[in-house]
């Protein structure tokens, strides 16, 4: 009886690599739903892909240099309940993918996520106490009255969707 | 591994201190970095998988929010200081050299203008000379052309006159039979007699004998008439 012994560290990944799933499906799983296990655990909203296109690399994997073999999969992306169109699926190599069985697809898609409230942040922050003191002193020396403001800048990205309170007022 | 003598050469780092043989007199000793970076995993640790530490989700959430706020704040302060510094350095700039630079620039521009004017003068003179020369060339070529045309006219005229002269001897269709008859009636003897002096006796078409004295020049071919 062989004994399985692990090395390294534990992982949160529970699943298969994407191509381990897709290569066993009809038409490479076009139209099927796949999702990452860690996202399903981490967020209450559903995150998944509906596969739209697959460019498989069907070369013999026993040939030399199989590391250069690359397949590409595209899908309609839904992250935390927000659909964002067709994307190239990254992190296919992570052994964390799961397939939704066909008879469960309807139930899986019927889960409606609550709309997440926008993270509104203040556009003007207070100066640190010592800095405020020094600025005040400087202003007094120069004979100026108005205190400068400390404005913040938000690096907007797909992951950072925070909005400034001034922007929110403008939008309303 | 490291000898104490070798380590004396450079500044002693924390790693070097950790690698030292423990001093019995000290109570504190670092336990990190006992393994060299290039040394393999200890045999007893190969199959050691550390367990995940339990984490307090609430605390993590709070910490993440706090860190986000902190980093945003720090970024805002850094941006403010950068702008402030830029403004200050702009204000503190010594403006005296600006006037001097402007004066030097104006001088240079004046000199450049003078150079340009001089160059323009030279260029215009050269261009005028070139225009005159070109005009001269064109006039000469016109004269040459006229001369050539006149010469060609004269040449063509003389050629026409020669042809007209020759045309008088041409055989007409009306006189063709007559001429053929004439040609058939002419008797030509290509043989000739020669005496000891080298004189030739050629029989002409009318039966007479013509004496052709010897010449040093090349004899012409037997004449046909």
């Amino acid at each position: 009886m062989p004994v399985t012994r692990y090395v390294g560290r534990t992982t949160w990944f529970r699943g298969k690599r994407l191509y381990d799933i897709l290569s066993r499906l009809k038409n490479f799983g076009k139209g099927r739903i796949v999702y990452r296990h860690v996202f399903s655990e981490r967020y209450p909203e559903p995150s998944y892909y509906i596969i739209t296109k697959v460019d498989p690399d069907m070369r013999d994997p026993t040939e030399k240099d199989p590391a250069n073999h690359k397949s590409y999969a595209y899908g309609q992306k839904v992250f935390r309940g927000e659909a964002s169109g067709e994307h190239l699926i990254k992190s296919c190599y992570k052994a964390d993918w799961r397939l939704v069985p066909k008879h469960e697809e309807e139930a899986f898609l019927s889960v409606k996520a609550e709309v997440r409230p926008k993270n509104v942040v203040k556009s003007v922050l207070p100066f640190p106490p010592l800095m405020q003191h020094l600025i005040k002193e400087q202003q007094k020396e120069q004979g100026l009255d108005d205190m400068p403001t400390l404005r913040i800048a938000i690096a907007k990205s797909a992951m950072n969707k925070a909005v400034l309170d001034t922007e929110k007022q403008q939008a309303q | 591994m490291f000898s104490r003598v070798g380590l004396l050469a450079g500044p002693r780092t924390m790693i070097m201190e950790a690698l030292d043989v423990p001093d019995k007199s000290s109570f504190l000793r670092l336990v990190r970095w006992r393994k060299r970076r290039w040394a393999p995993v200890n045999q007893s640790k190969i199959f050691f998988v550390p367990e995940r530490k339990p984490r307090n989700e609430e605390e993590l959430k709070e910490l993440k929010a706090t860190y986000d706020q902190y980093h945003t704040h720090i970024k805002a302060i850094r941006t403010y200081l950068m702008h402030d510094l830029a403004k200050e350095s702009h204000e503190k700039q010594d403006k005296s050299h600006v006037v001097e630079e402007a004066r030097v620039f104006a001088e240079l521009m004046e000199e450049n203008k003078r150079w340009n004017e001089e160059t323009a003068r030279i260029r215009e003179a050269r261009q005028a000379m070139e225009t005159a020369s070109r005009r001269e060339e064109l006039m000469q070529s016109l004269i040459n052309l006229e001369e050539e045309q006149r010469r060609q006219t004269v040449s063509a005229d003389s050629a026409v006159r020669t042809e007209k002269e020759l045309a008088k001897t041409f055989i007409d269709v009306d006189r063709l039979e007559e001429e053929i008859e004439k040609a058939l009636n002419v008797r030509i003897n290509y043989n000739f007699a020669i005496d000891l002096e080298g004189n030739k006796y050629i029989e002409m078409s009318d039966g007479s004998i013509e004496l052709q004295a010897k010449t040093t020049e090349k004899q012409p071919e037997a004449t046909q008439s």
Side-chain angles (χ1 to χ4, degrees):
Chain A
M1 184 68 186
V3 181
T4 308
R5 303 180 80 185
Y6 294 103
V7 295
R9 289 170 184 276
T10 56
T11 173
W12 298 117
F13 289 178
R14 303 279 184 273
K16 292 179 177 179
R17 291 179 302 177
L18 187 62
Y19 286 99
D20 293 346
I21 297 170
L22 296 185
S23 59
R24 285 163 174 76
L25 295 175
K26 187 180 168 186
N27 288 336
F28 290 98
K30 196 172 167 184
R32 299 295 296 274
I33 302 167
V34 287
Y35 66 95
R36 286 278 306 277
H37 167 256
V38 288
F39 294 153
S40 69
E41 293 284 304
R42 195 180 296 164
Y43 305 121
E45 305 90 358
S47 307
Y48 55 90
Y49 278 100
I50 302 172
I51 304 289
T52 53
K53 194 172 77 176
V54 180
D55 292 336
D57 190 342
M58 300 298 281
R59 279 182 288 178
D60 183 2
T62 58
E63 274 181 6
K64 62 173 183 180
D65 208 7
N68 281 343
H69 292 199
K70 277 179 185 172
S71 302
Y72 298 96
Y74 301 84
Q76 294 290 341
K77 184 181 180 180
V78 177
F79 183 70
R80 298 194 71 178
E82 287 177 15
S84 61
E86 194 175 5
H87 286 272
L88 173 69
I89 302 177
K90 293 174 181 177
S91 64
C92 299
Y93 60 91
K94 290 179 181 174
D96 190 38
W97 290 92
R98 287 183 177 189
L99 177 73
V100 179
K102 269 197 171 174
H103 65 275
E104 289 176 16
E105 277 181 3
E106 207 175 324
F108 185 87
L109 293 176
S110 65
V111 175
K112 293 292 170 204
E114 283 181 27
V115 179
R116 280 187 290 149
K118 293 232 172 186
N119 181 19
V120 182
V121 291
K122 285 179 188 170
S123 58
V124 178
L125 293 175
F127 281 103
L130 179 60
M131 195 174 172
Q132 190 170 19
H133 177 73
L134 289 171
I135 290 169
K136 266 184 186 170
E137 290 292 312
Q138 200 179 3
Q139 299 289 82
K140 207 184 283 177
E141 268 183 24
Q142 294 173 354
L144 300 168
D145 294 336
D146 52 337
M147 185 73 183
T149 49
L150 184 60
R151 297 194 168 275
I152 73 161
I154 295 175
K156 298 217 170 161
S157 68
M159 297 303 291
N160 186 10
K161 290 183 177 171
V163 288
L164 296 174
D165 50 1
T166 50
E167 284 178 10
K168 199 193 174 193
Q169 282 165 11
Q170 281 170 10
Q172 284 170 355
Chain B
M1 112 198 170
F2 287 135
S3 69
R4 275 171 176 271
V5 179
L7 291 174
L8 289 172
R12 290 173 59 74
T13 64
M14 200 183 280
I15 299 173
M16 287 173 176
E17 278 169 13
L19 291 168
D20 277 351
V21 177
D23 186 358
K24 282 178 186 172
S25 62
S26 67
F27 293 97
L28 183 70
R29 183 167 175 253
L30 287 166
V31 291
R32 290 187 73 187
W33 303 306
R34 280 176 301 182
K35 185 182 85 62
R36 287 90 68 210
R37 296 302 299 269
W38 57 88
V41 180
N42 198 322
Q43 282 295 310
S44 63
K45 299 286 185 200
I46 284 179
F47 299 111
F48 171 66
V49 179
E51 275 181 23
R52 294 260 176 177
K53 301 286 182 292
R55 25 178 229 175
N56 188 339
E57 293 295 334
E58 210 173 308
E59 189 186 337
L60 275 178
K61 202 175 166 186
E62 184 63 32
L63 275 176
K64 188 180 180 303
T66 316
Y67 270 117
D68 284 353
Q69 279 177 18
Y70 168 75
H71 288 304
T72 311
H73 208 147
I74 286 291
K75 202 161 71 179
I77 292 168
R78 189 181 287 130
T79 315
Y80 170 82
L81 288 174
M82 275 164 67
H83 285 183
D84 200 41
L85 192 69
K87 207 170 92 182
E88 201 175 326
S89 66
H90 183 73
E91 280 170 1
K92 276 188 180 174
Q93 263 185 352
D94 188 9
K95 297 288 190 305
S96 62
H97 71 283
V98 175
V99 180
E100 177 64 15
E101 271 178 12
R103 191 187 61 75
V104 170
F105 185 74
E107 268 181 22
L108 289 173
M109 283 303 284
E110 191 63 32
E111 190 165 2
N112 187 35
K113 199 179 164 189
R114 267 189 278 113
W115 286 353
N116 282 348
E117 277 167 5
E118 196 179 337
T119 314
R121 201 163 44 70
I122 294 165
R123 185 180 62 240
E124 274 157 19
R126 178 175 54 77
Q127 281 176 345
M129 214 163 68
E130 279 176 0
T131 313
S133 158
R134 179 75 184 143
R135 191 185 297 275
E136 191 74 16
E137 268 178 35
L138 286 172
M139 287 302 288
Q140 191 57 46
S141 70
L142 266 177
I143 291 162
N144 289 350
L145 189 66
E146 276 173 15
E147 181 69 20
E148 178 67 19
Q149 276 176 350
R150 199 182 55 74
R151 206 172 51 74
Q152 278 182 1
T153 315
V154 169
S155 156
D157 228 25
S158 74
V160 166
R161 209 164 289 131
T162 319
E163 285 301 312
K164 272 184 179 171
E165 284 296 314
L166 281 173
K168 285 172 187 171
T169 62
F170 288 171
I171 297 165
D172 224 352
V173 179
D174 305 337
R175 300 194 299 130
L176 191 63
E177 291 298 320
E178 193 187 328
E179 289 294 326
I180 290 167
E181 199 63 30
K182 199 173 155 188
L184 287 171
N185 292 335
V186 174
R187 181 165 163 270
I188 298 168
N189 190 3
Y190 291 98
N191 297 321
F192 56 88
I194 190 164
D195 62 9
L196 287 170
E197 278 80 38
N199 300 319
K200 281 179 185 174
Y201 298 90
I202 299 163
E203 189 184 4
M204 303 307 286
S205 56
D206 56 350
S208 63
I209 300 295
E210 189 181 297
L211 173 67
Q212 199 176 18
K214 186 194 172 185
T215 51
T216 50
E217 290 167 12
K218 196 185 174 185
Q219 291 297 319
E221 292 294 312
T223 53
Q224 184 186 356
S225 62

